[in-house]
Amino acid sequence: MEELARESISLLASASAKPPLDVSAGPRLGSMGAIFIMLKSALGAGLLNFPWAFERAGGVRSAVTVELVSLVFLISGLIILGYASSISGQCTYQAVVKEVCGPVIGQLCEICFVFNLFMISVAFLVIVDDQLEKLCGSLYELVTALPESEMPHHFYTDQRFGLLLLCVLLILPLSIPKEISIQKYISSMENQRLSHWVFISVVSMIFCLVIYSLTGAYGYLTFGKGVKADILMSYTGDDILMLVARLLFGVSIITIYPIILLLGRSVIQDPLLSWRRRREGAVTAAFESHSRYVLTVLWIAATLLIAIFVPDISKVISVIGGISAFFIFIFPGLCLMFAMQSEPVSWKTRVVLTVWGVITLLCGAFIFGQSTTTAVMQALGKI
């Protein structure tokens, strides 16, 4: 659920009050398709971290209680964003925040958005690195019939070398294009009413709650206090089902990573192109492609280096959890508070919704402070 920013971006345009889409313009999504895309976006790196999170929370009961409370704010945040999109006429997260809350908060949202996507990219590569380590050991045992401890150490047997090859040979080519084909499904949903957006949000978050809870509970009950931050790393290398799971999860991450990169790259590149347009009067295709190539290579190189030198997924997730508080709590709370200052609603409704916005904002500030402090102390080796 730490990827609420991404899932909100994916379908936020669905709730905006724009003219109906032309059928000939491309494929349009029904309710099930919209729910599937949101689930595809929401079920990310945090899924493997949930059993460890259950252990840190003190067990299944306390963890599920926290999940249920969080679910209220998650659904509330999505509904607020849908409402803010409908009154602002904007169709991306950062554009909605900038239109409703002003340019200063909008710029802060863009910075947080890019940083959040960047850390999610790091988390994905850390998970791939973990799975490559297990796969290398499993393949060595399978081919040689010798234990993994006797595997010779060469640069080509190091999982970090394999991760580098994956980034260069697969992730980079998939990330270079200006657009990704799945984008055509993002805002072509058939029913664009706000009430339908609420339905999609509620159903998707309930599915997420069930999937995350089952994963967390099963992993925690299986391994107890010995559960690792990446649940797949708790299983032995000779487990065939886990071998298949690692391969499938790796394929999923390789296909999702370019979408994350594209979203982050667009936020960085758009101001650059605007500056070029103001300076030169136009943006050439050569400048656009050159800047896109440079940003893509820098993004992949930076996330790869961090993933190699910070192999503990729990540290990365802690940072993501802190910054995600902005997208789940703080920015939706601010949007609601600002919207209530100008929207024609009754006095009672204005007071109730403004108070809820303040509560959401304060909860987000507390979670951000607590999670960020913990992440920093872990990085400094004090915990």
Side-chain angles (χ1 to χ4, degrees), residues 132-147:
L132 284 175
E133 181 181 3
K134 281 288 188 180
L135 285 173
C136 289
S138 300
L139 290 175
Y140 178 79
E141 292 179 349
L142 180 64
V143 173
T144 65
L146 297 174

Side-chain angles (χ1 to χ4, degrees), residues 24 69 89 107 144 172 182 193 219 221 223 262 264 267 271 311 340 348 369 375:
S24 61
V69 174
Q107 291 176 358
T144 65
L172 180 59
I182 195 174
R193 294 194 303 268
L221 293 176
F223 298 103
L262 183 145
V267 178
M340 288 302 101
K348 183 177 181 180

Side-chain angles (χ1 to χ4, degrees), residues 228-262:
K228 296 184 179 180
D230 180 349
I231 182 61
L232 293 181
M233 298 298 289
S234 297
Y235 291 91
T236 59
D238 58 355
D239 191 319
I240 301 299
L241 289 179
M242 288 302 106
L243 180 64
V244 174
R246 292 187 181 97
L247 289 173
L248 293 178
F249 209 89
V251 171
S252 176
I253 286 177
I254 291 172
T255 57
I256 294 176
Y257 185 102
I259 301 176
I260 300 296
L261 189 152
L262 183 145

Side-chain angles (χ1 to χ4, degrees), residues 167-181:
C167 288
V168 173
L169 300 180
L170 289 179
I171 293 179
L172 180 59
L174 290 174
S175 304
I176 284 293
K178 184 177 181 180
E179 295 180 348
I180 297 177
S181 59

Side-chain angles (χ1 to χ4, degrees), residues 62-76:
S62 57
V64 171
T65 301
V66 173
E67 281 188 296
L68 291 174
V69 174
S70 300
L71 182 65
V72 175
F73 288 98
L74 283 165
I75 294 176
S76 170

Side-chain angles (χ1 to χ4, degrees), residues 11-330:
L11 288 172
L12 188 56
S14 307
S16 59
K18 296 185 290 187
L21 296 174
D22 184 3
V23 177
S24 61
R28 298 193 298 170
L29 285 174
S31 299
M32 293 304 298
I35 292 172
F36 174 79
I37 286 183
M38 183 171 281
L39 287 174
K40 170 73 171 175
S41 300
L43 297 175
L47 183 64
L48 301 183
N49 189 244
F50 251 59
W52 177 82
F54 269 49
E55 190 276 327
R56 292 294 297 268
V60 176
R61 179 178 300 179
S62 57
V64 171
T65 301
V66 173
E67 281 188 296
L68 291 174
V69 174
S70 300
L71 182 65
V72 175
F73 288 98
L74 283 165
I75 294 176
S76 170
L78 286 174
I79 294 174
I80 292 171
L81 291 171
Y83 173 71
S85 177
S86 66
I87 64 176
S88 66
Q90 303 297 321
C91 59
T92 64
Y93 196 114
Q94 61 270 22
V96 168
V97 174
K98 181 178 291 186
E99 181 69 22
V100 176
C101 303
V104 175
I105 298 178
Q107 291 176 358
L108 174 62
C109 179
E110 290 178 346
I111 295 173
C112 293
F113 183 60
V114 172
F115 183 71
N116 192 46
L117 293 176
F118 182 83
M119 293 308 299
I120 290 173
S121 300
V122 173
F124 281 167
L125 293 186
V126 170
I127 290 176
V128 173
D129 184 65
D130 287 344
Q131 308 321 314
L132 284 175
E133 181 181 3
K134 281 288 188 180
L135 285 173
C136 289
S138 300
L139 290 175
Y140 178 79
E141 292 179 349
L142 180 64
V143 173
T144 65
L146 297 174
E148 181 182 350
S149 58
E150 296 185 14
M151 183 173 64
H153 293 284
H154 303 290
F155 76 92
Y156 52 83
T157 62
D158 194 316
Q159 77 275 5
R160 291 171 292 186
F161 178 72
L163 183 62
L164 174 63
L165 290 181
L166 279 177
C167 288
V168 173
L169 300 180
L170 289 179
I171 293 179
L172 180 59
L174 290 174
S175 304
I176 284 293
K178 184 177 181 180
E179 295 180 348
I180 297 177
S181 59
I182 195 174
Q183 285 181 287
K184 63 186 178 181
Y185 294 99
I186 288 178
S187 58
S188 55
M189 197 161 64
E190 291 177 339
N191 188 342
Q192 297 190 2
R193 294 194 303 268
L194 181 59
S195 59
H196 188 246
W197 169 253
V198 173
F199 169 76
I200 296 298
S201 302
V202 172
V203 173
S204 300
M205 289 301 99
I206 291 177
F207 273 117
C208 282
L209 175 68
V210 173
I211 295 172
Y212 273 97
S213 297
L214 289 177
T215 303
Y218 183 81
Y220 171 72
L221 293 176
T222 301
F223 298 103
K225 294 187 179 298
V227 66
K228 296 184 179 180
D230 180 349
I231 182 61
L232 293 181
M233 298 298 289
S234 297
Y235 291 91
T236 59
D238 58 355
D239 191 319
I240 301 299
L241 289 179
M242 288 302 106
L243 180 64
V244 174
R246 292 187 181 97
L247 289 173
L248 293 178
F249 209 89
V251 171
S252 176
I253 286 177
I254 291 172
T255 57
I256 294 176
Y257 185 102
I259 301 176
I260 300 296
L261 189 152
L262 183 145
L263 290 172
R265 185 182 67 201
S266 65
V267 178
I268 301 173
Q269 188 181 27
D270 288 347
L272 181 62
L273 297 180
S274 299
W275 170 82
R276 181 75 173 186
R277 190 176 293 109
R278 290 193 303 269
R279 180 181 177 182
E280 305 292 339
V283 177
T284 63
F287 180 83
E288 188 281 329
S289 60
H290 179 73
S291 62
R292 174 161 39 90
Y293 293 161
V294 171
L295 289 174
T296 301
V297 172
L298 289 177
W299 184 288
I300 294 177
T303 55
L304 176 61
L305 286 175
I306 296 175
I308 290 175
F309 290 104
V310 186
D312 188 349
I313 185 64
S314 64
K315 293 181 172 61
V316 180
I317 292 295
S318 296
V319 175
I320 295 175
I323 200 67
S324 292
F326 277 91
F327 299 100
I328 299 173
F329 298 92
I330 295 176

